[in-house]
Amino acid sequence: MIPLRDSVRSGRRPYVNISLVLINIFVFIQQLAIEPYQLNQIYYTYGVIPAEALNVFFAGGPSLPLAISFITATFIHGGWFHLIGNMLFLWIFGDNIEDRLGRARYLLFYLTVGVAGGVAHVLTNPASTIPVIGASGAVAGVLGAYLITFPRSRILALVPVLFFITVVEVPAVIFIAVWFAIQIFNGVAFLGGTANAVAWWAHIGGFLAGLALIKLMARRGAVFARP
């Protein structure tokens, strides 16, 4: 399912969410001008490499460069579909979470769940020497927060039905539950070091972090709907 819009309107201009989308797009456009070899070096420098991250951690504890890589990795994408998919979800769901948390807390929330997604990928792929990049873990955290905060909203989405694609309004609970079920299915299927281009456990880790953190980080007096 591909989301087109949600039924919840923001009460304020989501400047942080807009900025995050624009920064990701800007970084990707800069990547397009870089030679493939140099771009690969950037992936290895600013992405998170599970085996290397664990070696650094067990050798002497967390280091500043390692910690920063968990953040820089969330702003690098491997292709147009990777970028567009993440930014579409962030654009549709992120503004509402920023509205609920406030700008400063939303930025902290976004970076935290992004790091949580990276940590989940490292722990489930400890021997991998392939750098993980992309905002998927952070975006998944936003989805987790949205599920808790706006379970009664409705998502207008493109849904494949047999050989056709139709536009359907889907309850947010169902939309996000189906999305998460897909992540779990693929995450389990590729668990154990099987080569795969998608960091499924980064999605799962970011999502669970979003579920756990949204109420802790919400502004005082924030009201949460019941499903």
Side-chain angles (χ1 to χ4, degrees):
M1 295 185 289
I2 301 175
L4 300 176
R5 67 169 184 266
D6 69 328
S7 61
V8 180
R9 302 278 72 84
S10 296
R12 64 175 69 190
R13 183 76 66 179
Y15 289 117
V16 172
N17 200 61
I18 292 172
S19 297
L20 288 170
V21 172
L22 291 177
I23 291 171
N24 277 279
I25 294 173
F26 175 79
V27 171
F28 184 74
I29 290 175
Q30 299 307 304
Q31 291 176 222
L32 297 177
I34 300 175
E35 294 292 332
Y37 174 78
Q38 292 178 319
L39 184 58
N40 194 56
Q41 291 298 108
I42 288 175
Y43 292 159
Y44 276 86
T45 301
Y46 297 103
V48 174
I49 305 171
E52 183 178 302
L54 288 177
N55 285 338
V56 170
F57 181 82
F58 286 115
S63 66
L64 184 58
L66 175 61
I68 292 176
S69 71
F70 277 86
I71 295 176
T72 56
T74 65
F75 293 95
I76 304 172
H77 289 83
W80 280 108
F81 286 110
H82 191 201
L83 173 74
I84 292 172
N86 280 335
M87 294 305 101
L88 177 62
F89 273 73
L90 183 58
W91 179 263
I92 291 173
F93 298 101
D95 61 330
N96 304 119
I97 303 306
E98 179 178 344
D99 192 35
R100 182 53 55 91
L101 291 177
R103 296 188 179 107
R105 292 186 185 185
Y106 175 63
L107 179 59
L108 178 60
F109 171 86
Y110 180 87
L111 296 176
T112 301
V113 294
V115 170
V119 170
H121 178 77
V122 168
L123 294 178
T124 52
N125 296 269
S128 176
T129 57
I130 300 174
V132 60
I133 56 174
S136 303
V139 174
V142 169
L143 281 177
Y146 193 97
L147 178 62
I148 295 295
T149 312
F150 305 103
R152 297 178 183 174
S153 75
R154 303 186 71 82
I155 312 299
L156 189 68
L158 292 175
V159 179
V161 179
L162 296 177
F163 300 104
F164 302 95
I165 295 179
T166 186
V167 177
V168 178
E169 195 173 64
V170 184
V173 170
I174 294 177
F175 182 94
I176 297 176
V178 169
W179 177 89
F180 188 62
I182 293 171
Q183 314 312 305
I184 290 291
F185 176 83
N186 285 287
V188 172
F190 288 101
L191 191 62
T194 305
N196 184 47
V198 180
W200 299 107
W201 284 95
H203 303 179
I204 295 168
F207 182 84
L208 294 178
L211 288 177
L213 291 176
I214 181 60
K215 289 188 177 181
L216 292 176
M217 297 184 67
R219 290 176 294 177
R220 183 175 298 179
V223 177
F224 291 86
R226 295 182 179 180

